[in-house]
Amino acid sequence: MLPRLAKGAVLQQVRGIAGIASAEPAGPSIKTTIPGPRSKHLKQEMDAVHQTTSVRFHVDYEKSFGNYVVDADGNTLLDVYTQISSLPLGYNHPDLVKVASQPHLITSLVSRPALGSFPRTDFADGISHALTSIAPKGLKAVQTMLCGTSANENAIKTAFIWYQAQRRGGLGPDALHLDSCMRQEKPGTPNLSVMGFEGAFHGRSLCMLSVTRSKPIHKVDIPAFDWPIAKFPRYKYPLEQNAAYNKKQDQESLADVEAKIAEWKRRDNDVAAIIVEPIQAEGGDHYGSPQFFQGLRDITQKHGIVFIVDEVQTGGGATGDIWAHDHWNLSSPPDIVTFSKKLLTGGYFYGEHLRVKEAYRIYNTWMGDPTKLLLLEKAVEVIRRDGLVEQSREVGQEFQKRLGELQKASGGKLDQARGRGTFAAVDFPSATLRDKFVDLAISNGLHCGGCGDKSLRFRPSLVYTKKHLDLTFDLLDKTLKQL
């Protein structure tokens, strides 16, 4: 049974957390193996009522602060994984805890609104302060959603709706379209496709799996749309020593995009949208150059294709800018930018030309969560007040330098060190060796995680500083010597 606390006890607990949240542990403290006996017991209990195949260990969130996570057995770890890159200010940041105790957040939580039909009186203000204030260049309109997957899903729906409207001269669906769609026939149910890329990850819904190519286990046994998957650059590092090779990667990838657009056109299955990550995170931290992404933008404009940039994992400041695509300096903005994770709520920004005119086409019961918007509003305020994006940029420069040095000293165990800001990764010779390293690092007090076939990824929070960096590399060096 879950413990039941009286109202006064709950408020006392919240105030207690707020009072000590700034007191980070001095460092890691390991008391048991991980997972320890308490975590294993909790997993057994959970397994009776819920799937547990992906559970690593249970967390004591009431005792986790700043850059440190504490598990159910009292083990304290420096966390450079941060709930898969989704904690902008680390654990239990005092400013966010204070917001969580305010009446307007409590009423948003207890009386959760169906935002599409019955938004709160302060919802527009919340959007303005939390999201419009950090909108990508050239995009102001925004739609909140529950998570990154639902953001991507509805971004694609928005692209399809716009594409079909252009075929009708900018008009909405007529009687023929409305009638035929109920039989899943043309013209109301058109043949349209979305282009994704090799190595991409955009979510695990039926639609998003058709543009996802990161790991087979995500896709196996699930039917998929006949949508094109194009080549994505695979660079060699250091970049400055492999310029010719990497330029050829860009050229081959862009040529493949053009070829597949033409091929699907011949199949009477137009590519209505292209969706791409600035950094293929789940797929292995694969990067594209500004020239590659400008080439993509040029192609989408040439063919009248909606250009969707998936910033679910890269948005929020870890790359040294709120938006990773800002590093590209595009000649014109993307049509849609999706977000979630470090921005706490899901959603997408879009160009005004893509605004859907008919009700209930982009819709669900919740359409996001106002409590997350209230937290994000405060998080954005803290990020600006404390200069956290700039800090991430500065700490990130040192992180990249130290990661390169660690690779050189690794005796061939590490390769392809890469990153932007504190968003970083390095490769191992095999997945087996990478996974062994992750387990050893956790046992040494550093919580990290893998991605792609054999990469180790780093996703610290924005309150990660030079002292945390120094400790991180001490633990990485220690773990490498044990490997």
Side-chain angles (χ1 to χ4, degrees):
M1 292 287 290
L2 293 171
R4 285 177 167 81
L5 300 178
K7 178 182 177 183
V10 172
L11 291 176
Q12 185 178 7
Q13 185 180 45
V14 168
R15 292 190 189 104
I17 291 174
I20 62 175
S22 59
E24 250 190 358
S29 173
I30 303 302
K31 301 176 179 179
T32 73
T33 57
I34 301 175
R38 175 72 175 146
S39 264
K40 290 178 179 177
H41 176 72
L42 290 170
K43 185 174 181 179
Q44 287 179 340
E45 287 186 340
M46 182 177 169
D47 195 53
V49 295
H50 193 279
Q51 73 88 14
T52 60
T53 53
S54 58
V55 172
R56 298 295 301 271
F57 55 81
H58 280 71
V59 173
D60 189 337
Y61 288 98
E62 284 71 30
K63 295 180 181 177
S64 300
F65 298 108
N67 291 281
Y68 287 86
V69 61
V70 178
D71 75 0
D73 292 274
N75 297 300
T76 301
L77 298 93
L78 176 62
D79 193 355
V80 293
Y81 198 45
T82 60
Q83 305 301 310
I84 320 177
S85 195
S86 65
L87 295 179
L89 305 180
Y91 294 92
N92 289 316
H93 191 282
D95 287 295
L96 298 190
V97 173
K98 289 175 184 175
V99 171
S101 66
Q102 293 177 0
H104 62 306
L105 189 140
I106 293 172
T107 57
S108 293
L109 183 65
V110 174
S111 303
R112 183 177 180 178
L115 290 171
S117 296
F118 312 107
R120 289 174 55 90
T121 56
D122 57 3
F123 188 59
D125 284 342
I127 290 286
S128 177
H129 294 139
L131 289 171
T132 308
S133 66
I134 58 167
K137 295 172 185 175
L139 302 179
K140 290 297 181 186
V142 66
Q143 176 63 62
T144 56
M145 282 290 164
L146 290 169
C147 63
T149 297
S150 60
N152 285 332
E153 188 98 10
N154 283 278
I156 284 176
K157 285 176 62 180
T158 297
F160 285 154
I161 290 167
W162 176 83
Y163 197 87
Q164 283 297 94
Q166 301 316 295
R167 286 178 164 181
R168 294 188 294 263
L171 300 176
D174 56 22
L176 178 60
H177 285 78
L178 293 169
D179 180 63
S180 58
C181 78
M182 299 304 288
R183 301 187 300 275
Q184 296 187 178
E185 297 174 354
K186 293 181 180 180
T189 304
N191 288 338
L192 293 176
S193 61
V194 179
M195 179 179 288
F197 289 88
E198 295 172 1
F201 180 85
H202 300 289
R204 291 178 172 86
S205 66
L206 281 169
C207 174
M208 301 325 302
L209 284 175
S210 290
V211 285
T212 286
R213 289 293 191 281
S214 51
K215 294 183 177 72
I217 197 64
H218 298 155
K219 294 176 61 65
V220 66
D221 296 332
I222 311 299
F225 291 109
D226 179 22
W227 290 355
I229 298 294
K231 174 181 169 63
F232 192 85
R234 291 291 182 267
Y235 296 151
K236 291 182 179 179
Y237 296 87
L239 293 174
E240 62 273 12
Q241 296 177 19
N242 295 280
Y245 176 89
N246 294 340
K247 182 178 181 180
K248 187 176 180 181
Q249 286 287 301
D250 285 352
Q251 292 169 342
E252 290 176 355
S253 298
L254 292 171
D256 193 41
V257 169
E258 284 276 22
K260 285 187 167 65
I261 289 171
E263 179 183 349
W264 261 255
K265 186 79 170 178
R266 290 192 297 271
R267 296 185 186 185
D268 188 30
N269 195 354
D270 284 12
V271 174
I274 290 178
I275 185 167
V276 67
E277 301 156 276
I279 305 164
Q280 288 187 332
E282 176 68 21
D285 271 31
H286 300 298
Y287 287 71
S289 69
Q291 294 76 24
F292 168 72
F293 288 111
Q294 181 62 61
L296 269 188
R297 187 63 183 124
D298 293 342
I299 289 170
T300 58
Q301 290 186 312
K302 171 184 171 184
H303 294 284
I305 293 171
V306 177
F307 186 36
I308 304 172
V309 176
D310 176 352
E311 290 247 27
V312 167
Q313 190 159 158
T314 53
T319 66
D321 277 294
I322 288 292
W323 304 107
H325 76 269
D326 277 349
H327 296 287
W328 307 340
N329 294 312
L330 294 177
S331 58
S332 62
D335 295 299
I336 299 177
V337 175
T338 63
F339 58 86
S340 192
K341 289 191 179 279
K342 273 190 171 64
L343 295 180
L344 300 180
T345 184
Y348 57 96
F349 290 93
Y350 58 93
E352 190 60 39
H353 63 289
L354 293 172
R355 186 181 291 272
V356 176
K357 299 178 177 65
E358 301 86 12
Y360 302 109
R361 304 193 75 184
I362 302 297
Y363 190 84
N364 57 54
T365 298
W366 302 128
M367 298 285 278
D369 184 341
T371 64
K372 300 300 185 290
L373 201 63
L374 292 167
L375 289 172
L376 177 59
E377 181 178 343
K378 177 56 71 172
V380 168
E381 178 186 317
V382 172
I383 287 167
R384 285 180 169 148
R385 181 194 72 198
D386 297 348
L388 296 183
V389 172
E390 294 77 13
Q391 175 177 281
S392 180
R393 191 181 306 138
E394 293 170 6
V395 173
Q397 290 175 350
E398 179 67 14
F399 197 106
Q400 303 301 329
K401 175 176 172 288
R402 297 278 289 275
L403 190 60
E405 292 171 351
L406 187 72
Q407 175 180 301
K408 288 179 182 178
S410 71
K413 295 175 184 175
L414 302 179
D415 190 28
Q416 302 292 310
R418 57 201 181 275
R420 187 178 287 278
T422 57
F423 198 108
V426 68
D427 286 356
F428 283 79
S430 68
T432 301
L433 199 62
R434 185 269 315 277
D435 294 345
K436 182 179 179 182
F437 181 91
V438 168
D439 289 341
L440 281 171
I442 289 173
S443 72
N444 287 327
L446 181 69
H447 186 219
C448 52
C451 65
D453 294 331
K454 55 183 180 179
S455 299
L456 177 71
R457 60 175 154 180
F458 302 94
R459 301 292 189 267
S461 72
L462 299 182
V463 296
Y464 181 85
T465 67
K466 176 66 163 52
K467 71 176 182 180
H468 303 110
L469 181 150
D470 289 339
L471 181 54
T472 297
F473 280 90
D474 286 346
L475 293 170
L476 289 172
D477 183 62
K478 175 183 178 179
T479 305
L480 267 178
K481 290 174 179 175
Q482 297 172 338
L483 195 61

